[in-house]
Amino acid sequence: MLKSYLKNVYEIASRGDATEVSYYSTLENLFKVYSETINKTDVYITSLPKKTEAGNPDFRIWDGKQHIVGYIEAKSPEVDNLDSIEDSEQLERYRRTFPNLILTNFFEFRLYRNGTLIDKVLIGRPFIVHKLKTVPPVEKKADFLKLLERFFSFSLPRVYDAETLAIELAKRTRFLKDEIVTQKLKEEESIGKGFISGFYEAFRKYLISGLSKEEFANLYSQTVTYGLFAARTRSENGFNRKLAYDNIPHTIGLLRDVFKFISLGDLPQQMEWVIDDISEVLAVTDVKNILHQYFHEGKGKDPIVHFYETFLAEYDPQTREKRGVYYTPE
């Protein structure tokens, strides 16, 4: 498996005109072959076809339905030192947001769990490809297989309390706002049209006429996350992004319009990945226990509204304090 992989990497590098994306199919095949050796036939490896300003990791490993194994961020094989990449602002954002992440230059693989480096393996020497112009021998095969085993065995822990859920949703919502919605608005502004721009105009027309683009990115991202939470509280048999629309109350027209696109529309991959990630957090959440927690604290009249304040305290505490909204047990 690794011998063939390194041979393919060498052959691509030998062409002389290879870019980072040129190696994607080889990396995809490596992970696919490994998943088959451990009898995980329901593994899908999808990659973003091109670099955009909207910043997601390059690969997502998932089961094609709901469960997300993790993400991979790839850098060019010409990058022979991943230390500088590890400390970059981009990687820090990914490490804060995605709990199971691999960073690689196609030779070295670094595995991060909840932002912390827990394993790294160098399977071949880059200089042998770039300087000696030959296929490097395989190194540390057993260690690499252990790293992959740790990566593929990951699953989100079940969430039982409102505070933990608020933390997990807040960091993903910030990523959605800063890296996806804000950047998509900029991209669409340059071409004069787009689905996010359409929602921006709708929010200005029907909600807040003087809404700035920065305020919209914030409001839209919160709307997506909180709409998913509201839908999850009404979902009985499983939950994912595509099921959300069926569980949005018919009385909230604009929210249903947003989720008609999110659940049923053709989402850009960058947005799809993050919203799927938020949905999986909610799927493994014991919503009944959280609602019971609010009832126990005397907040049972509208626990969904009360959770919003818990979420806002984590996501944007300045706004929460400015509004002066604090709930205490009755």
Side-chain angles (χ1 to χ4, degrees):
M1 179 177 74
L2 286 181
K3 186 176 180 180
S4 174
Y5 167 77
L6 289 174
K7 181 174 182 290
N8 289 336
V9 169
Y10 163 73
E11 289 175 349
I12 294 169
S14 299
R15 299 173 192 166
D17 61 351
T19 65
E20 175 192 311
V21 177
S22 304
Y23 299 88
Y24 277 13
S25 60
T26 296
L27 187 63
E28 286 183 40
N29 187 62
L30 173 66
F31 276 75
K32 189 65 178 176
V33 169
Y34 173 78
S35 68
E36 291 170 354
T37 65
I38 59 173
N39 296 318
K40 283 187 174 287
T41 57
D42 58 347
V43 169
Y44 292 80
I45 300 110
T46 54
S47 62
L48 293 177
K50 62 179 180 178
K51 293 291 185 182
T52 69
E53 290 301 318
N56 287 72
D58 297 307
F59 296 87
R60 174 175 68 165
I61 316 295
W62 66 314
D63 68 357
K65 297 177 182 177
Q66 175 177 310
H67 174 59
I68 299 168
V69 174
Y71 297 87
I72 304 171
E73 174 63 14
K75 297 301 178 184
S76 169
E78 300 291 336
V79 178
D80 57 3
N81 184 359
L82 291 179
D83 289 344
S84 60
I85 304 298
E86 182 176 88
D87 295 330
S88 68
E89 183 181 345
Q90 180 195 47
L91 246 293
E92 287 182 359
R93 290 197 304 269
Y94 291 169
R95 288 161 60 186
R96 283 195 303 267
T97 306
F98 304 111
N100 194 36
L101 174 71
I102 284 177
L103 169 66
T104 183
N105 60 1
F106 301 92
F107 294 100
E108 182 182 356
F109 293 79
R110 298 188 179 191
L111 176 61
Y112 303 88
R113 184 64 49 79
N114 295 313
T116 300
L117 178 66
I118 62 169
D119 202 358
K120 63 179 180 178
V121 179
L122 182 68
I123 63 170
R125 304 285 171 169
F127 80 90
I128 296 178
V129 170
H130 302 314
K131 303 295 184 182
L132 303 184
K133 307 298 183 183
T134 189
V135 180
V138 174
E139 301 182 32
K140 298 185 177 179
K141 177 181 177 180
D143 291 340
F144 179 66
L145 294 179
K146 288 179 182 177
L147 182 149
L148 289 187
E149 181 181 1
R150 297 177 79 177
F151 178 74
F152 274 90
S153 66
F154 175 80
S155 61
L156 286 172
R158 192 159 176 79
V159 178
Y160 292 97
D161 63 274
E163 289 72 21
T164 300
L165 178 60
I167 291 170
E168 294 303 317
L169 293 182
K171 64 185 181 182
R172 289 165 172 82
T173 306
R174 280 191 289 267
F175 190 90
L176 176 62
K177 170 176 69 76
D178 295 334
E179 305 303 321
I180 308 300
V181 178
T182 298
Q183 299 302 331
K184 289 297 290 183
L185 269 175
K186 291 179 181 178
E187 290 176 18
E188 292 175 3
E189 186 176 29
S190 66
I191 61 176
K193 62 179 181 179
F195 78 95
I196 285 289
S197 298
F199 277 115
Y200 174 48
E201 294 304 323
F203 274 51
R204 292 180 67 190
K205 181 177 180 180
Y206 296 109
L207 292 180
I208 306 171
S209 60
L211 192 67
S212 70
K213 290 181 178 178
E214 181 180 357
E215 291 168 334
F216 165 75
N218 188 20
L219 180 58
Y220 183 86
S221 300
Q222 286 191 52
T223 299
V224 169
T225 296
Y226 212 72
L228 287 169
F229 173 76
R232 176 67 179 91
T233 64
R234 298 161 64 95
S235 176
E236 295 292 336
N237 300 310
F239 184 74
N240 58 43
R241 169 177 57 87
K242 293 185 177 181
L243 294 175
Y245 178 71
D246 292 335
N247 291 286
I248 297 293
H250 288 268
T251 54
I252 312 176
L254 185 58
L255 189 60
R256 284 185 64 81
D257 287 342
V258 169
F259 274 87
K260 186 174 183 180
F261 177 72
I262 286 173
S263 295
L264 308 177
D266 186 18
L267 276 181
Q269 275 191 309
Q270 295 93 340
M271 180 171 284
E272 176 187 306
W273 287 13
V274 178
I275 295 176
D276 281 345
D277 205 83
I278 294 170
S279 300
E280 188 179 4
V281 170
L282 289 164
V284 300
T285 295
D286 189 339
V287 172
K288 289 184 178 180
N289 188 67
I290 290 175
L291 297 181
H292 176 75
Q293 174 186 341
Y294 281 120
F295 277 112
H296 181 71
E297 294 175 356
K299 302 174 182 177
K301 292 182 179 179
D302 200 340
I304 294 179
V305 171
H306 282 277
F307 177 74
Y308 178 69
E309 299 306 327
T310 305
F311 165 74
L312 195 61
E314 184 65 35
Y315 173 73
D316 190 358
Q318 290 80 13
T319 297
R320 181 178 186 265
E321 185 174 357
K322 184 178 179 181
R323 288 171 55 193
V325 182
Y326 292 94
Y327 288 100
T328 55
E330 297 176 1

